[in-house]
Amino acid sequence: MDWLILHSDKLRIINPAQDHIAKLLDLITLEKRADQEQYREKVANRSLTHRTREGTTWYPVRLRRNYIGTGERNIIELERSTQRDEAHSFQSGRTVNIFSNQHGKPMRDHMSGVVNYVQDNLMVITVGAEDLPDWIDGSLLGIDVMFDEVTYREMEHALKVISKADETRLAVIRDFLMNGQTTHSAGSYIRPSTEWAPEFPKPFQRGILNEAQEKAVQLIESVDLIGLIHGPPGTGKTTTLIEAIGDTLRREKQVLACAPSNAAIDLLVEKLSDRGLFVVRLGHPARVTEHTLSKTLDARITAHPEYSELRRLRKKTEELRNTAYKFKRNFGYEQKEERRLLVQQSKSIKADADLLEFYIINEILQQADVICCTLTGASHGLLKGKKFRTVFIDEAGQALEPACWIPILKAERVILAGDHFQLPPTVKSREAALKGLSSTMFERCIKQYPDKAVLLQVQYRMHEEIMQFSSQWFYVNKLIADAAVRQVLLRPNQTPVDFIDTAGCGYEESQDPETLSRFNEAEASLAIRQAEILAEEIGIEQWQESGLTCGIITPYSAQVERLRKLAEASEVLEPLHKLISINTVDAFQGQERDTIIITFVRSNAKAEVGFLGDIRRTNVAMTRARKKLIMIGDSATLAAHPFYESLITHFQKQGFYHSAFEY
C-alpha cells in the first residue's frame, strides 16, 4: 500500500517498502565505513609488528608445502614460527594477502588467496594465481587479513534490484516482506507447472518428526510467499529443515539452500548428502573433510566422466603456450610464424576446453537436487538469471537483512529458519546497529506473520533444569525436554546446574590495553579449577573412555587467552586436552558439549555489564550444555541487569547457588 504524504504544499507518494530499502542502503553505507575504518585501524595503518601482535597478520611464516587441489587450484600450507598459539582474526573463507618482505617491498611481492582452514599454527590457503611466484620459497613471508569488499557490493546491488522491481514476483515478495502489503496481486501469479515438476518423485525417505516439526513441514508445503521455522536450541531445526527440503523436492525440480556462514552451509551440505540428495556446494568450503569437499562444484567437475578429456585439453593448451613463449624476441620469419601458429592452436584448444567445461558445469547444476551456498555466494555467476521456486535460508536470525535479499532475488517464495533469541548478526557500526541494521528479516517476519511461523518445542539436547530458565525468559515457557535427555546427568546424584557467585571475593575484572577486551584472572583460575574438580570426580580414564566433552566459554577473547594458558599448564587436564574446548560464546554457536563452564568476567564497582547486556549471547552460552552447566560470575555486578537478577534468583530457588568461598 502506498501512502500520501503532504510536504511543502505538495502531495508525494511514498511506498513503505521503498522507504525501507533507502534506509537499508544508508545503513549498509554506515556499516561499510565502520568496517573499513576498523580494517585501517587494525591492518592498513599499523606496523607489521603491531599487526602481528594483534592477530591480523601472521609474520614470519614458512611454506610447508604446495600442491594442486580439487579443481586444479593451487593450495599452499603456511606455518607461523612466532606468536604461536596466540589469538588471531583468520578463519575459513576469509580473503587474505600473502606477501614477501624479503626486499622490503610487500606491496610488490604479494598475491591473494582464500583460507581453507586454520588449525593451531597452520593455515591452508587456495591462491588465485595460476603459477606460484618465486618469492613464495623465501623466508620472510607473511599473511594479512583483507577487507571484504564483495559482500557490501552484493548487498547494495540486491537492494537496488528489488527497489526497481515492478509488476513482478520479486515486487510481490518485496512488498509483502517489508510492509505486509502487496502493491500487486500475489494471487494473480501463475506458477510454471512443468518447469518445476520432476518426472518422478525424488528418492527421499521421510524421517520421523515430532508434532511441531511435522507442523513446520506442512506449513512450508502450504505457504505461497514465506514460511518461518523458529528453532530454539536443541529442538532439531536443522533436522526439520532437511525434511522440509526433501518434502519440497517431491514437487519441485530443484531448490536453493543458503546460510550466512560457511560453517552453517557446510553443515547443511553434510546433512542433505547423508539423506541421499544430490547436493552441489558453490563457493569456498569452510571445512576440509572429504565428505564436504566431495560435494563442491570443483569436486563434482573432477568426478565427471568427461573430466579426463577436459584435463587433457587444459594440459595441451599449457604445453603449446609454454612452447610458443620459449622463442626469443630476435628470431626470424619462420620462427615467428611457428610461434603464431602455436599461439593460435593453443587458443583453439582452450576454446574447446572452455566449451567442454561449460557443458560439464551445466550438466552438474541441472542434475543437482539442492544447490548450496552462503548468502553472498548466491550472487555466483553460475546462478545468473536462474530462478528457484523455493529458496531456504538457514540461521536467518544471524543474517543481515540486506544479505538475505541476495538469494531472495532468485526466489518465488522463501523459507526462513533460525532463532532471533540466539546470536544476532555482527554489526560493526554502533550507529547502524542503533538505527536498525541489527534487526533481522527473520525477527520482523516472526512478529509480523505469526500465522506463517511454527515454534519447535521439543528439545533433545539438555537436562530440563538447564533448559528451564531459557524457556521461561525467551520462549514463553513452551519448551519441553524430550524423555531421552530430561533427567540425564553427568554423574548420578549430581546437580545439573551450578551458579558460583564471586561477589565479595575480590575477583576484579581488567582490560587489555591493546585489544580493549576484558579479562578476569581469578575467575579464569576458578573456571579451570572447576574443570579439574570434575575430572578428579569422574576419573581421567573414565572421562576418556566415555568420550565426555567439556566447553569453557566466555564472552571475551582476552579471557579465552588466559583460560587456554591455564588449561595448558594444568597437569590434571593435560590428558583430556582433546576433549576440552575453550573459546568465545560466538565460536560455540551451533555446538554442544556434555559440560559447559561459563565465566562472565564482569566484576566492577560501577556494576557495568557491557555487552553482556545483549542477553542473547548468554542464552547461547547456557544452552550449549547437555548434562552439566556451571556459571561463574559476580552477582553484585550482574544483578544490576534485570535478566541476570532473574537468572541468579531462579537458580537460588532451585538450590543451585554457591559462593566462590566454598572453593
Side-chain angles (χ1 to χ4, degrees), residues 240-418:
T240 307
L241 195 61
I242 299 301
E243 295 298 326
I245 289 172
D247 193 70
T248 302
L249 287 169
R250 297 179 187 277
R251 300 175 301 279
E252 301 173 19
K253 182 181 178 181
Q254 188 178 77
V255 301
L256 178 66
C258 303
S261 67
N262 279 302
I265 199 61
D266 283 340
L267 178 62
L268 271 184
V269 169
E270 187 175 325
K271 299 295 184 184
L272 288 164
S273 300
D274 287 344
R275 297 301 304 277
L277 295 173
F278 188 89
V279 182
V280 177
R281 166 67 154 100
L282 295 184
H284 184 81
R287 301 188 197 183
V288 288
T289 63
E290 187 59 36
H291 189 67
T292 303
L293 276 177
S294 64
K295 309 304 181 290
T296 63
L297 180 60
D298 285 345
R300 297 287 191 192
I301 293 171
T302 303
H304 194 276
E306 297 292 333
Y307 176 71
S308 59
E309 175 62 12
L310 175 63
R311 190 170 185 181
R312 187 189 70 80
L313 291 172
R314 295 287 190 214
K315 187 177 180 181
K316 186 66 176 176
T317 301
E318 187 70 18
E319 288 173 353
L320 289 169
R321 192 183 68 174
N322 291 338
T323 302
Y325 286 97
K326 281 180 181 177
F327 289 103
K328 298 178 181 179
R329 293 182 182 178
N330 56 344
F331 48 52
Y333 173 79
E334 291 183 2
Q335 290 173 314
K336 284 182 180 180
E337 185 64 14
E338 186 177 353
R339 175 175 176 170
R340 186 187 67 78
L341 290 172
L342 285 169
V343 170
Q344 187 178 23
Q345 191 179 357
S346 174
K347 287 180 178 178
S348 176
I349 296 175
K350 183 181 182 300
D352 291 341
D354 290 344
L355 188 63
L356 179 58
E357 187 175 57
F358 176 80
Y359 160 76
I360 293 172
I361 291 173
N362 222 28
E363 187 173 69
I364 291 169
L365 293 180
Q366 285 184 351
Q367 291 175 349
D369 299 321
V370 190
I371 295 176
C372 291
C373 57
T374 61
L375 298 175
T376 306
S379 64
H380 199 293
L382 293 173
L383 298 181
K384 188 176 181 181
K386 193 168 180 61
K387 290 287 185 180
F388 299 86
R389 166 61 186 145
T390 307
V391 169
F392 292 86
I393 299 178
D394 194 15
E395 301 297 351
Q398 283 188 275
L400 292 173
E401 180 173 348
C404 288
W405 283 106
I406 300 171
I408 294 176
L409 292 180
K410 304 180 182 301
E412 307 293 348
R413 65 178 192 144
V414 59
I415 308 300
L416 304 177

Side-chain angles (χ1 to χ4, degrees), residues 450-580:
D451 59 320
K452 307 292 185 185
V454 173
L455 173 68
L456 305 181
Q457 295 174 274
V458 182
Q459 68 85 15
Y460 302 90
R461 176 182 296 166
M462 66 201 97
H463 191 285
E464 62 181 353
E465 294 287 0
I466 298 174
M467 172 201 75
Q468 195 175 65
F469 182 76
S470 283
S471 179
Q472 291 175 0
W473 190 274
F474 295 102
Y475 307 108
V476 207
N477 210 26
K478 288 187 175 182
L479 296 191
I480 303 164
D482 185 75
V485 300
R486 190 177 297 149
Q487 295 293 325
V488 178
L489 296 167
L490 196 65
R491 296 180 66 237
N493 303 317
Q494 187 183 54
T495 58
V497 181
D498 290 318
F499 184 92
I500 303 174
D501 190 358
T502 65
C505 297
Y507 287 18
E508 292 292 317
E509 67 181 73
S510 302
Q511 187 174 32
D512 188 298
E514 291 187 359
T515 64
L516 303 182
S517 181
R518 307 275 174 170
F519 63 94
N520 191 318
E521 294 276 11
E523 206 172 275
S525 296
L526 182 57
I528 296 301
R529 181 56 191 148
Q530 288 301 306
E532 290 175 337
I533 290 171
L534 286 176
E536 290 164 351
E537 289 177 348
I538 296 169
I540 301 297
E541 289 186 8
Q542 180 62 34
W543 188 313
Q544 291 172 323
E545 289 174 8
S546 306
L548 294 173
T549 55
C550 175
I552 306 176
I553 303 180
T554 179
Y556 297 95
S557 57
Q559 186 78 335
V560 170
E561 292 180 37
R562 280 135 186 99
L563 287 164
R564 286 176 176 172
K565 287 178 180 177
L566 289 168
E568 288 172 5
S570 170
E571 293 182 4
V572 175
L573 300 182
E574 195 279 330
L576 305 173
H577 71 276
K578 291 184 178 179
L579 297 169
I580 298 175

Side-chain angles (χ1 to χ4, degrees), residues 132-147:
L132 294 179
D134 294 336
W135 51 259
I136 197 68
D137 292 316
S139 58
L140 299 178
L141 298 178
I143 317 167
D144 283 326
V145 169
M146 295 294 287
F147 178 72

Side-chain angles (χ1 to χ4, degrees), residues 146-213:
M146 295 294 287
F147 178 72
D148 182 14
E149 185 83 36
V150 175
T151 298
Y152 292 104
R153 186 169 63 245
E154 295 301 337
M155 287 193 292
E156 291 167 0
H157 173 73
L159 291 172
K160 289 174 181 178
V161 171
I162 65 168
S163 177
K164 295 175 183 177
D166 187 37
E167 300 295 334
T168 62
R169 182 66 168 180
L170 181 60
V172 173
I173 295 174
R174 174 198 65 201
D175 294 344
F176 189 75
L177 293 187
M178 287 189 171
N179 63 1
Q181 302 286 335
T182 57
T183 55
H184 317 287
S185 173
S188 67
Y189 175 79
I190 301 174
R191 262 178 240 148
S193 58
T194 56
E195 182 183 353
W196 296 106
E199 296 178 4
F200 50 86
K202 301 289 181 182
F204 187 83
Q205 188 67 38
R206 278 287 301 274
I208 299 173
L209 302 177
N210 64 46
E211 186 178 345
Q213 292 171 331

Side-chain angles (χ1 to χ4, degrees), residues 553 585 596 598 616-625 629:
I553 303 180
V585 179
I596 288 291
I598 305 170
R616 292 171 294 185
R617 184 167 274 102
T618 300
N619 184 37
V620 171
M622 294 169 61
T623 55
R624 301 308 94 194
L629 171 65

